Amino acid sequence: MNQLIVLGNGFDIHCGLKSSYSDFFFDRFRSLFCEEKESTTCIEDLEDNLSERRRSILSFISNLRNQLNFEPNDNNDCDYFKRYKETYFSENNDITRWDLFFLFADACVDKSVNKYEWQDVESLIFDVISIALNAKSTYKMHYVKDVQIGPYEDEGIKLFSKIVYYLSFTGHNTDEEIAAELLRELKKFEHSFAIYITNQIDLNQTHSGYVDNAIKLYKDISKYNRSNKGSVSDQIDVLNFNYSLDDRFKDILDREIDDNRLETWSNIHGIAHHEETPYYPAPIFGIDSHGIVSRKGQSDLRISFTKAYRVIENEINEMRSSSGYAGKDLITIYCHSLSAADYSYFEAIFDENDLYYSNCKIEYYYYPGENDQEKLIKRQEAITHLYNLLTNYGDSLSETHGDNIVNKLNLENRLSVIPSE
């Protein structure tokens, strides 16, 4: 059997890594904005500190604007973020513009719609650069109707847009300058995330903790048993959307369970410990390229923030051992969000395997929840995510019957939605 395993962040979380959105931003916000760190255990504990920091930033910008003297029609404003960093942080502090964007998003985005997940980072990146570059687009995040930060009150999207506008100033404030600066700052932000992940992983510790859990989970997902571990007819490829394990995990598996079925292991968005092993590319965050096109001979500057562009820019493909994933009997997707930002990857995989006409099966593992009500909701969400992915792919097919792809896969018993244990 030829199997492709696609790993989402749920794999790392299942194995004990604190890699969720809330885990990272709790650590990040606590280190940047909160002095009393030891007494806090979750991001909700930081709310008073974060609210005060948001208020002080708005006051700082307001006071600074009142001190500036410039012509009404002059587009030369000051770099508010640079002034703020120089005033409140040491020269070596790694705070970025994106930290402040996410800080204000925590107040302006409607969190009642859903808990923050990593796909929301990508959606927020899209909204920020669309606002900063005055691009006409539908916002991907849901914003609260009204938000009050100290004496400042406005609609969530309006207040957030003002913050993005002011904190994106670079001096002359041309679109090219803004795009270049926001991309430079995003790389710094990604670096802080890489350090956060790297500090949690020890690849030499294989009999306990994260790596040991990863070995056990891989065995389950890959249908490992003693009779098939050395089968020459079986082949497994792993496409990893996480930033944790890399292709050295193949050597660990060979050593620990003597499984030679694993052919390739690819980290499509880079690896956290790239500084320890410099031949690996750094982690990237990115947005979906759908709807971002060149118009009237002029490029949309948001292209440089798309995942496809950043994979090329970061030379990630130079380090990947896989040249494609055609001819698969089974595509196993483990706890991946299936967000729209990653549709292009799945579209390419489905095309390679001629999904509509082949016998290729898809199994999708999802986090099942704790209680009966949560289990019902999580299953509905998982089926909806997979359904949306497949119908979106069906829309891309030239055949007029592409909209029936889900029915076809169901009829041929090629779809499974499985709770992870």
Side-chain angles (χ1 to χ4, degrees), residues 250-360:
K250 287 174 56 182
D251 299 330
I252 294 174
L253 290 172
D254 288 342
R255 184 173 67 249
E256 298 295 331
I257 64 175
D258 190 26
D259 185 10
N260 61 6
R261 297 173 302 155
L262 183 56
E263 292 288 323
T264 66
W265 182 291
S266 296
N267 293 76
I268 187 63
H269 292 150
I271 196 71
H273 55 76
H274 65 100
E275 288 192 324
E276 296 177 6
T277 50
Y279 50 91
Y280 282 108
I284 64 165
F285 299 141
I287 63 175
D288 183 30
S289 57
H290 284 92
I292 298 179
V293 295
S294 298
R295 293 184 177 90
K296 297 181 180 179
Q298 188 173 12
S299 249
D300 187 328
L301 291 170
R302 293 176 297 172
I303 289 175
S304 59
F305 293 84
T306 63
K307 288 184 176 179
Y309 180 100
R310 301 210 60 211
V311 165
I312 297 172
E313 179 203 34
N314 216 29
E315 298 182 340
I316 290 177
N317 286 330
E318 302 300 317
M319 303 308 306
R320 295 177 61 226
S321 55
S322 173
S323 58
Y325 302 106
K328 299 303 176 187
D329 303 303
L330 175 64
I331 298 173
T332 300
I333 306 170
Y334 191 88
C335 291
H336 190 289
S337 65
L338 302 185
S339 68
D342 293 322
Y343 277 6
S344 298
Y345 292 118
F346 289 102
E347 184 177 305
I349 292 169
F350 295 160
D351 277 344
E352 283 185 323
N353 288 278
D354 196 13
L355 185 61
Y356 193 93
Y357 291 106
S358 70
N359 294 318
C360 179

Side-chain angles (χ1 to χ4, degrees), residues 191-209:
H191 178 71
S192 66
F193 174 74
I195 294 174
Y196 172 76
I197 294 296
T198 300
N199 288 341
Q200 298 184 61
I201 299 173
D202 182 0
L203 289 179
N204 297 316
Q205 188 68 37
T206 59
H207 294 133
S208 64

